[in-house]
């Protein structure tokens, strides 16, 4: 049962700093679910301020909207994350960030070999295939796809 009053989309925009169009987009992605008041206007829960803050933080960390939706869906009753939920989810975020940092460091190290080269060769470029050692693992940019170099 929605509360009798709620936030207008303009008020939610003001409180979150998000453009109205962005809020509508998040709504279309199922991340927030407003109701319609008697006049047919969208009304948002106050908790949607926190919910949208969570969405923005998760996006900054590189999570896709479907992944964020999955995270929110794991909360009982699909409620807005509480402080305890946030403590638990932030540990997941830390693991995700560690993996991204590792990938970016690997990219940076391989990029050193490309500076001044410009070949962009699928067979020679270190970014795609360092020393061609990745060939045994399959096609494509194996290390960028998450395979680990041996030794
Ligand atoms: S561009 Fe030549 S090795 Fe990467």
């Amino acid at each position: 049962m929605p509360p009798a009053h709620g936030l207008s989309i303009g008020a939610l925009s003001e409180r979150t700093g998000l453009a109205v169009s962005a809020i509508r987009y998040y709504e279309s992605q199922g991340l927030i679910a407003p109701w319609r008041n008697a006049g047919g206007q969208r009304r948002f829960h106050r908790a949607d301020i926190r919910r949208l803050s969570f969405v923005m933080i998760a996006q900054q960390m590189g999570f896709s909207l479907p992944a964020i939706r999955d995270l929110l869906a794991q909360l009982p009753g699909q409620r807005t994350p509480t402080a305890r939920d946030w403590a638990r989810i932030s540990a997941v975020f830390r693991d995700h960030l560690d993996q991204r940092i590792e990938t970016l460091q690997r990219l940076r190290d391989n990029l050193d070999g490309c500076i001044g080269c410009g070949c962009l060769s699928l067979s020679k470029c270190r970014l795609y295939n360092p020393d061609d050692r990745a060939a045994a693992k399959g096609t494509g940019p194996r290390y960028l796809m998450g395979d680990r170099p041996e030794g």
Side-chain angles (χ1 to χ4, degrees), residues 113-114 117-121 124-127:
C114 296
C117 174
C119 71
L120 285 176
S121 162
K124 291 180 191 156
C125 180
R126 288 176 53 89
L127 281 176

Side-chain angles (χ1 to χ4, degrees), residues 69 75 78 83 103 107 112 129 131:
R69 192 171 45 232
L75 297 171
Q78 298 194 17
T103 299
L107 276 171
D112 286 345
N129 198 357
D131 303 328

Side-chain angles (χ1 to χ4, degrees), residues 12 31-33 44-55 68 71-89:
L12 188 60
L31 295 165
I32 48 175
F44 294 84
H45 299 271
R46 291 201 165 277
D48 286 339
I49 297 168
R50 189 182 179 100
R51 198 172 171 92
L52 288 176
S53 299
F54 175 83
V55 170
I68 296 168
L71 281 170
L72 289 170
Q74 288 169 22
L75 297 171
Q78 298 194 17
R79 66 166 189 265
T80 297
T82 62
R84 185 179 291 184
D85 295 325
W86 174 240
R88 186 169 42 80
I89 293 171

Side-chain angles (χ1 to χ4, degrees), residues 87-106:
R88 186 169 42 80
I89 293 171
S90 60
V92 175
F93 282 6
R94 187 186 169 83
D95 288 347
H96 175 79
L97 281 179
D98 285 346
Q99 285 172 18
R100 286 190 70 203
I101 288 167
E102 195 182 311
T103 299
L104 288 171
Q105 283 176 331
R106 196 165 56 241

